[in-house]
Amino acid sequence: MRKYKIEKITAWVIIFLGIIAIYFIFIFFDIVPKTDQKITFIIASFGALFSIIQFWISSISRRMDFIKRIQYEEYLRVRELIQIFFNHLSENMVQVRDIHSLVRQLNNTRNELSVIINSNNKSILSGVTKNQSVINFGEKLNEVIIKTDKFRLESDRFEKAKNSSKGKPDWSIKIEEMNWRNDILKDVKTLHELKYDLLFAIEKKII
C-alpha cells in the first residue's frame, strides 16, 4: 500500500532531520557549553528520537502485515471462486444435469467474484478493476454465462413444446445441448488462459 510506504519513508526523513537538529542545537550553536552535560543531552535526544521513530515504524509494519494478510486471503478466495466456476461447467460438459441449477451456480459465483473485486477496488486492491486483464476475464466470464442462459431458455421452450405435443421431438434439446457445449468450449479455454492474467494482476497489488 502506497500510503504505508510513504509513512515509512517519512519516518526515515524525520530521523535524518532529527540528527541535523541535534547537531545544530548541541554542537553548532553550542547551547549546552559543558561537555559532560552536552554528551548527556545528545545521548538522551538520540534515545528519544530513535524510540519514537522505532515505535512509529513498528506500528506501520504491523499495519502493513495486517493488510498483506487480508490481501492474500482475498486473493485465495478469488482463486477458489474461479475454480468453483470451472468445476460447475466441467460437471455439466459431458451431460447437463440441471441447466437451471447450472445457470444459478454460475451467476452466484460470478456475483461473489464481482463483490470481492469491486469492494476492494478502492482499498486493499486499489485500482484493480481498471486492469485490462481483470476486464478481459470479466467479459469472457459474462459471455459464458450469457450463452449458458440462452441454452436454458431454449431448454424451457423445448420442454414447453414437448408438453403441449406441438413442438420438435425430444432429440431437439440434445442438439441444442451439443451446440451449447461446442459454442462455449473455446470460450472456456480462453477463460482458463485469462485466469492467470487476472491472478497475476491481483498478485501485483499485494504489498
Side-chain angles (χ1 to χ4, degrees), residues 138-150:
E139 290 176 349
K140 186 57 66 175
L141 195 77
N142 287 332
E143 281 183 38
V144 171
I145 293 177
I146 289 170
K147 290 178 180 180
T148 305
D149 193 50
K150 182 180 177 183

Side-chain angles (χ1 to χ4, degrees), residues 85 105-115 138 141-142 145-146:
F85 188 91
Q105 289 169 336
L106 295 181
N107 272 310
N108 289 342
T109 307
R110 186 266 312 273
N111 292 341
E112 195 170 347
L113 263 173
S114 180
V115 166
L141 195 77
N142 287 332
I145 293 177
I146 289 170

Side-chain angles (χ1 to χ4, degrees), residues 63-125:
R63 281 182 288 160
M64 288 180 70
D65 289 341
F66 174 76
I67 294 297
K68 187 174 182 177
R69 186 167 64 253
I70 298 298
Q71 286 176 325
Y72 189 64
E73 288 173 358
E74 295 291 71
Y75 168 76
L76 291 179
R77 183 56 181 157
V78 168
R79 279 181 53 178
E80 180 186 9
L81 287 169
I82 291 173
Q83 189 57 51
I84 289 172
F85 188 91
F86 282 114
N87 289 345
H88 289 323
L89 285 172
S90 63
E91 288 168 3
N92 290 271
M93 288 303 283
V94 176
Q95 181 178 0
V96 177
R97 301 173 182 177
D98 183 345
I99 186 59
H100 295 86
S101 176
L102 175 60
V103 171
R104 184 167 59 253
Q105 289 169 336
L106 295 181
N107 272 310
N108 289 342
T109 307
R110 186 266 312 273
N111 292 341
E112 195 170 347
L113 263 173
S114 180
V115 166
I116 290 175
I117 291 174
N118 286 299
S119 63
N120 292 315
N121 181 55
K122 293 185 178 180
S123 54
I124 60 174
L125 299 175

